[in-house]
Amino acid sequence: MGTTSFLNGARALLRVRNQLARECLAELLAVFVLILITLSGSAQMVTSSGTKGNILTAYLAGALAVMVAIYTAGGVSGAHLNPAFSLAMCLLEQFPWWKFPIFVAIQTLGAFISAGAVYALYYDAIRHYSNGTFATSGPRETASIFATYPADYLSLSNGFLDQVMGTALLIVGILAILDTRNKGVPKGLEPVAVALLVFSIEVSMGSNCGCPINPARDFGPRLFTYVAGWGAEVFRWVRGKG
């Protein structure tokens, strides 16, 4: 009886009643889950030199991470997870503009914190693989675990087109899945359909830039690598490529 009363009291004390705060916490947790699984898939592939994962398993981890993240926060915040999606919702007048900068900040913060968690989880593996040197290029680079970098052949204009097209396809696909006028996805399986959409984009448009299609997913972890020891090189400007 005493334990039950204590738990009920603690639950009531910790309950967040403000709707905006609930949405922000849900979005933060969902992005944390998304990036934790996504970057861990990359870390396992890179630090094992491909023996415990490959590009396909990394893409699959990223797609399944989207599914888990949507199930985590979909009922509270809508699980935007992505500033590009939040912007699209604002343009379609389905999301208030005043919430947009708040969601972008929360999404970026969640990605930054999650990158730190992956860094801690794979710290020994990263140090062992890189011989203790945090590099952004070369045969033992590890920066690509956290952020995406353009292929050597890619021009700035082609890279811009790559990201615009990939992100646009993501937004159009999500809107089509959620549109009740279309052939509906069985209720409760929408996150699965979105995960398959993400996977299809990754395996078809991933070679140019690594297919981030999410500004928060790329900038948050990139900022973490900057402060964690990879240095300003993670924000390097390569002439003609960006």
Side-chain angles (χ1 to χ4, degrees), residues 29-63:
L29 177 60
V31 173
F32 179 85
V33 169
L34 168 66
I35 305 304
L36 181 66
I37 298 175
T38 300
L39 299 189
S40 291
S42 296
Q44 182 164 300
M45 174 187 67
V46 172
T47 59
S48 69
S49 299
T51 60
K52 297 180 180 178
N54 53 40
I55 193 65
L56 190 60
T57 63
Y59 285 159
L60 184 59

Side-chain angles (χ1 to χ4, degrees), residues 175-189:
L175 293 177
I177 290 170
L178 298 178
D179 193 338
T180 56
R181 295 168 297 180
N182 287 337
K183 186 174 178 61
V185 176
K187 187 173 178 58
L189 292 181

Side-chain angles (χ1 to χ4, degrees), residues 1 10-11 69 78 84 136 152 160 162 165 168 178 181 212 215 217 228:
M1 179 70 72
R11 191 176 297 115
T136 59
D152 291 337
F160 180 79
D162 177 90
M165 191 171 294
L178 298 178
R181 295 168 297 180
R217 174 261 177 272

